């Protein structure tokens, strides 16, 4: 199975200096490594050419199209059976790749997978972006084994198994090339954030499996492109979850789900206001208006995606977390 690790980079020389050497050291024997540069204005490409000319292939995108378009553009130049979409701020260690490849070699029904994703700043704990595999509730709010909203669990081996999930983290996403292109890749209207959830959801609706692999782990720095304190991240998160629900959830009940989401988003905006974060309130308002402007095109995409499956384990993670005080994944079950 020909494997390609593709690291999307935008003005990330400092991250490449910190993390790329380990990727090469612990992966080059099993995969071809690419750095896909999203029209950086720093010296990222020059650094890679100077220090990794024999070990890393460079793809130079013509523009910064964000995570979604950046990967779509880059992967058109990659010949492989399996893509590994790896963030530039992920640290890998010896033996991380072998268990992941074994899953795909032994299970043809598996199209997407992720390892455990732990916090580089606090290595005993799971990291926000994916933890030990992701799900969404009925309204499209994402949560993970090991992370619900801002609560990240300590890793005590409780998720060392390999299980089916709804989505795998874009921080370290393994995906078969055939299935990636079968659903036309990432939706470029998302630009960044939540786009991997939409991708996985579409693949899941096609009947393929998505798994979290518990005997492999990587360490994610997180917030290297947009931190949680950045209102732009709030904009993408609120808007893009609405995008995904319209496109992928079954039945006409999606309309009711969207209405309920808009109300809950308003409550979230009030919370931001009370916390003295008016820029985040404005980000939610802009997210809603952007959603309204995209709604006609979302309906066209919805009509094109004819297969839809039941997708949620629980109806409301908001209720479970904030009202029932369920702070860990195991408490939800």
């Amino acid at each position: 199975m020909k494997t390609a690790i593709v690291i999307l980079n935008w003005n990330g020389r400092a991250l490449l200096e910190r993390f790329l050497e380990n990727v090469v050291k612990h992966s080059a024997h099993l995969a071809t490594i690419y750095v896909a540069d999203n029209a950086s204005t720093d010296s990222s490409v020059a650094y890679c050419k100077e220090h990794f000319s024999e070990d890393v292939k460079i793809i130079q995108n013509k523009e910064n199209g964000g995570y979604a378009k950046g990967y779509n553009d880059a992967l058109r130049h990659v010949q492989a059976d399996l893509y590994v979409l790896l963030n530039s701020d992920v640290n890998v260690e010896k033996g991380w790749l072998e268990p992941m490849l074994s899953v795909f070699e032994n299970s043809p029904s598996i199209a997407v997978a992720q390892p455990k994703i732990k916090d580089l700043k606090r290595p005993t704990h799971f990291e926000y972006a994916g933890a030990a595999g992701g799900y969404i509730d009925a309204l499209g709010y994402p949560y993970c084994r090991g992370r619900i909203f801002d609560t990240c669990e300590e890793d005590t081996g409780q998720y060392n198994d390999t299980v089916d999930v709804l989505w795998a983290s874009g921080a370290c996403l393994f995906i078969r090339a055939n299935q990636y292109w079968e659903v036309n890749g990432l939706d470029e209207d998302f630009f960044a954030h939540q786009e991997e959830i939409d991708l996985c959801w579409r693949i899941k609706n096609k009947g393929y499996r998505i798994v979290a692999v518990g005997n492999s782990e990587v360490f994610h720095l997180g917030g290297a492109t947009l931190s949680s304190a950045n209102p732009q991240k709030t904009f993408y998160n609120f808007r893009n979850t609405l995008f995904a629900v319209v496109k992928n959830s079954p039945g006409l009940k999606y309309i009711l789900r969207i209405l309920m989401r808009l109300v809950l988003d308003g409550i979230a905006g009030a919370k931001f206001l009370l916390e003295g974060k008016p820029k985040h309130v404005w980000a939610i308002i802009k997210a809603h208006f952007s959603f309204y402007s995209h709604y006609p095109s979302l309906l066209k995409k919805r009509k094109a995606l004819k297969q839809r499956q039941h997708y949620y384990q629980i109806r409301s993670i908001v209720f479970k977390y904030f009202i029932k005080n369920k702070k860990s994944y195991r408490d939800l079950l």
Side-chain angles (χ1 to χ4, degrees):
M1 184 168 55
K2 190 174 181 182
T3 302
I5 297 172
V6 186
I7 300 169
L8 191 67
N9 172 73
W10 180 71
N11 288 346
R13 172 170 175 156
L15 296 174
L16 296 172
E17 288 178 351
R18 183 173 178 184
F19 297 111
L20 185 55
E21 183 177 356
N22 265 2
V23 175
V24 171
K25 180 180 179 181
H26 299 307
S27 314
H29 62 300
L30 291 172
T32 303
I33 300 167
Y34 296 80
V35 168
D37 189 75
N38 246 2
S40 292
T41 56
D42 68 356
S43 53
S44 299
V45 172
Y47 170 78
C48 290
K49 289 180 177 178
E50 180 181 354
H51 294 277
F52 297 98
S53 60
E54 296 182 2
D55 301 305
V56 175
K57 296 184 178 182
I58 307 295
I59 300 169
Q60 291 184 264
N61 292 335
K62 294 180 180 179
E63 60 181 314
N64 177 19
Y67 185 97
K69 181 173 170 53
Y71 267 118
N72 284 349
D73 289 348
L75 292 177
R76 291 187 178 97
H77 301 283
V78 175
Q79 297 296 318
D81 303 305
L82 183 69
Y83 300 143
V84 185
L85 280 55
L86 185 69
N87 274 18
S88 59
D89 62 342
V90 169
N91 189 55
V92 304
E93 297 181 343
K94 183 179 180 180
W96 78 286
L97 195 52
E98 286 84 348
M100 301 300 301
L101 300 184
S102 177
V103 161
F104 287 94
E105 289 166 352
N106 295 326
S107 302
S109 62
I110 293 174
V112 183
Q114 70 157 82
K116 291 194 302 186
I117 299 177
K118 296 173 68 174
D119 190 342
L120 186 63
K121 298 183 291 293
R122 192 169 57 154
T124 56
H125 285 67
F126 290 102
E127 207 271 330
Y128 182 93
Y135 303 91
I136 59 172
D137 72 359
L139 300 181
Y141 287 106
Y143 63 98
C144 307
R145 296 196 310 160
R147 191 274 294 172
I148 303 175
F149 289 109
D150 291 330
T151 301
C152 294
E153 297 176 38
E154 183 179 3
D155 180 13
T156 60
Q158 70 271 42
Y159 306 124
N160 281 356
D161 50 351
T162 295
V163 299
D164 284 76
V165 295
L166 179 71
W167 58 272
S169 172
C172 187
L173 182 77
F174 287 69
I175 183 167
R176 294 188 193 271
N178 286 344
Q179 276 68 65
Y180 186 91
W181 294 115
E182 182 180 344
V183 297
N184 297 315
L186 291 155
D187 186 336
E188 295 177 12
D189 284 343
F190 281 64
F191 188 79
H193 298 290
Q194 311 289 335
E195 67 278 86
E196 79 270 36
I197 296 178
D198 171 70
L199 174 67
C200 290
W201 200 346
R202 284 183 280 131
I203 287 173
K204 191 82 167 179
N205 278 339
K206 288 280 190 180
Y208 298 108
R209 293 175 61 201
I210 299 168
V211 299
V213 180
N215 61 342
S216 173
E217 64 182 25
V218 299
F219 295 85
H220 185 215
L221 179 62
T225 303
L226 285 178
S227 74
S228 59
N230 191 317
Q232 192 66 19
K233 186 168 187 175
T234 298
F235 168 81
Y236 285 128
N237 283 339
F238 277 78
R239 186 196 68 169
N240 290 352
T241 53
L242 295 171
F243 280 10
V245 169
V246 170
K247 287 177 59 180
N248 300 300
S249 61
L252 291 177
K253 286 185 178 179
Y254 86 89
I255 298 172
L256 179 60
R257 294 186 185 111
I258 291 297
L259 293 174
M260 293 176 66
R261 271 299 303 268
L262 296 177
V263 171
L264 288 172
D265 287 358
I267 294 172
K271 182 175 180 289
F272 278 130
L273 192 61
L274 291 173
E275 292 172 348
K277 299 176 180 178
K279 290 183 180 179
H280 291 268
V281 178
W282 182 237
I284 294 174
I285 294 170
K286 288 195 298 182
H288 283 190
F289 277 102
S290 179
F291 167 68
Y292 302 145
S293 68
H294 281 86
Y295 191 70
S297 66
L298 292 170
L299 288 182
K300 290 180 182 178
K301 292 176 183 179
R302 176 179 174 83
K303 289 178 181 178
L305 302 171
K306 300 183 184 303
Q307 296 170 274
R308 294 185 179 85
Q309 300 179 8
H310 182 81
Y311 61 93
Y312 59 88
Q313 294 180 314
I314 61 174
R315 292 189 178 275
S316 176
I317 192 66
V318 173
F319 177 79
K320 291 276 190 178
Y321 184 86
F322 290 103
I323 307 301
K324 299 287 286 185
N325 201 35
K326 305 293 186 181
K327 302 298 185 183
S328 74
Y329 174 77
R330 288 187 166 185
D331 289 342
L332 301 175
L333 304 179

